[in-house]
């Protein structure tokens, strides 16, 4: 026997690992066994919290998102897994893509779901459409403009802003002034600004941006499906939304769509897309958008795709016009009810109010959280507070998708009324 080791045996004894090695003694091949003992590291105990089932109450989520999921969506999430490139799953992906095109009212070839929440879709838009040193014009009237500007800076873009206070929207004149001054390659606006409860008018913005050789990117996470939206007719170049708002599906797969202009900008980049995971050239292939055989890029969130498929199916069955009408009627019921309680809405101009998320001013001398806590404790109803400049100053009530019913609006109004009375004594 030549060499050091012909056989190695490892024999664990309780917390001791015994390693035995055959070692040659001389040329005759005679060997002896040398055994070494080493102590195994002590294992940490398993978490006791995982030794029992999850326990949580049923809550009515009437904040800015997520909204409650209907049973059919939750049931879809529990269906057996398929392989992420199995033909049965890619068929479901195709159905999701068609549903997204319907919700956005677009024929865009590059229409996909990003594997991630709305923030992932926002980052995908940023990293694909902007190159280092390019200028982006961000219309900031709340948290989402701030977030997008942050992402652009991290990607090396030059950020210029038009800023309005929460509760106000931008005019065509505002945007044109920014286009003329900064000459951006991309303009960002938030369709439904959930932090400021505004609905940004979009008609005319796409044409205006194209006049100045700029692309228009729209964040419609808190608006799509609940208000009119016509991506192609309004010449929107890139848009994204989330699963957990009007579509009433769990967060995890987020629709994104790029126009031909946006697609061509990506394909003609001078520098590589900084994110492999969010690279739209790969995602377009995985989602069957480029005419080539689908290649492995990443493992898609299979159960999330099932769920958003059912969310989109619900929207298709109801019809967009009916969904828009339902959200508008429920929002008007909330607005009128809040005013009857002596409360003031953050957005004064009715046309600029976002039906999906309403901002209600907190009366002087009232702690917003006391009222929200009352609603949760008494009715298991979520009513959220403000963010950023409106933190502590407003409540935000969401009316989205499965939750957009008159009964739910009445429950929120009852909780607000009783909560205000309880804190005022």
């Amino acid at each position: 026997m030549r060499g050091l080791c012909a056989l190695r045996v490892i024999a664990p004894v309780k917390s001791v690992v015994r390693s035995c090695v055959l070692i040659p003694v001389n040329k005759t091949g005679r060997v002896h066994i040398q055994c070494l003992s080493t102590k195994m590291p002590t294992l940490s105990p398993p978490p006791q919290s995982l030794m029992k089932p999850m326990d949580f109450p049923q809550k009515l989520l009437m904040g800015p998102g997520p909204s409650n999921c209907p049973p059919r969506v939750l049931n879809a999430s529990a269906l057996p897994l398929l392989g992420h490139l199995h033909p049965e799953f890619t068929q479901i992906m195709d159905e999701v893509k068609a549903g997204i095109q319907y919700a956005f009212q677009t024929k865009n070839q590059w229409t996909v779901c990003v594997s991630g929440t709305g923030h992932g879709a926002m980052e995908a838009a940023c990293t694909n459409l902007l190159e280092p040193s390019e200028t982006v014009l961000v219309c900031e009237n709340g948290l989402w403009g701030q977030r997008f500007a942050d992402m652009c800076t991290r990607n090396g873009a030059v950020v210029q802003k038009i800023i309005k206070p929460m509760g106000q929207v931008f005019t065509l004149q505002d945007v044109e002034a920014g286009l003329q001054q900064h000459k951006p390659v991309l303009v960002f606006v938030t369709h439904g600004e959930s932090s400021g409860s505004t609905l940004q008018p979009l008609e005319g913005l796409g044409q205006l941006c194209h006049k100045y050789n700029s692309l228009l990117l729209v964040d419609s996470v808190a608006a799509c499906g609940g208000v009119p939206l016509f991506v192609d007719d309004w010449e929107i170049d890139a848009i994204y939304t989330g699963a957990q708002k009007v579509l009433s599906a769990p967060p995890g797969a987020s629709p994104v769509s790029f126009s031909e202009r946006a697609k061509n900008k990506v394909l003609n980049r001078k520098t590589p897309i900084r994110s492999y995971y969010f690279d739209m050239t790969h995602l377009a292939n995985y989602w069957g958008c480029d005419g080539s055989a689908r290649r492995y890029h990443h493992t898609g969130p299979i159960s999330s795709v099932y769920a958003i498929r059912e969310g989109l199916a619900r929207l298709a069955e109801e019809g967009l016009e009916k969904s828009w009408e339902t959200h508008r009627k429920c929002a008007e019921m909330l607005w009128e009810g809040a005013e009857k309680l002596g409360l003031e809405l953050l957005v004064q101009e009715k046309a600029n109010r976002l039906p999906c998320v309403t901002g209600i001013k907190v009366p002087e001398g009232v702690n917003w959280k006391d009222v929200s806590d009352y609603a949760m404790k008494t009715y298991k109803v979520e009513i959220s507070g403000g963010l950023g400049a409106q933190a502590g100053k407003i409540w935000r009530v969401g009316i989205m998708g499965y939750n957009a019913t008159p009964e739910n609006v009445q429950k929120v109004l009852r909780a607000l009324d009783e909560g205000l009375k309880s804190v005022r004594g």
Side-chain angles (χ1 to χ4, degrees), residues 328 331-339 345 350 353-355 358:
R328 169 60 61 173
E332 288 178 346
M333 179 185 298
L334 176 65
W335 301 341
E336 292 170 6
E339 289 170 351
L345 302 181
K350 191 173 182 180
R353 293 175 186 165
L354 176 61
T358 294

Side-chain angles (χ1 to χ4, degrees), residues 10-18 37-38 40:
I10 298 177
V13 179
K14 292 186 178 179
S15 62
V16 174
V17 175
R18 189 172 295 260
S37 297
T38 57
M40 179 184 292

Side-chain angles (χ1 to χ4, degrees), residues 359-375:
I360 303 173
K361 292 184 179 181
V362 178
E364 188 175 350
V366 173
N367 184 329
W368 76 272
K369 197 171 186 306
D370 290 341
V371 177
S372 291
D373 287 348
Y374 177 91

Side-chain angles (χ1 to χ4, degrees), residues 1 16 57 59 106 123 224 230 238 241 252-253 264 344 367 386:
M1 183 183 294
V16 174
K59 297 181 179 181
T106 184
E123 191 126 34
C224 177
F230 299 92
T241 190
N264 289 334
E344 184 181 355
N367 184 329

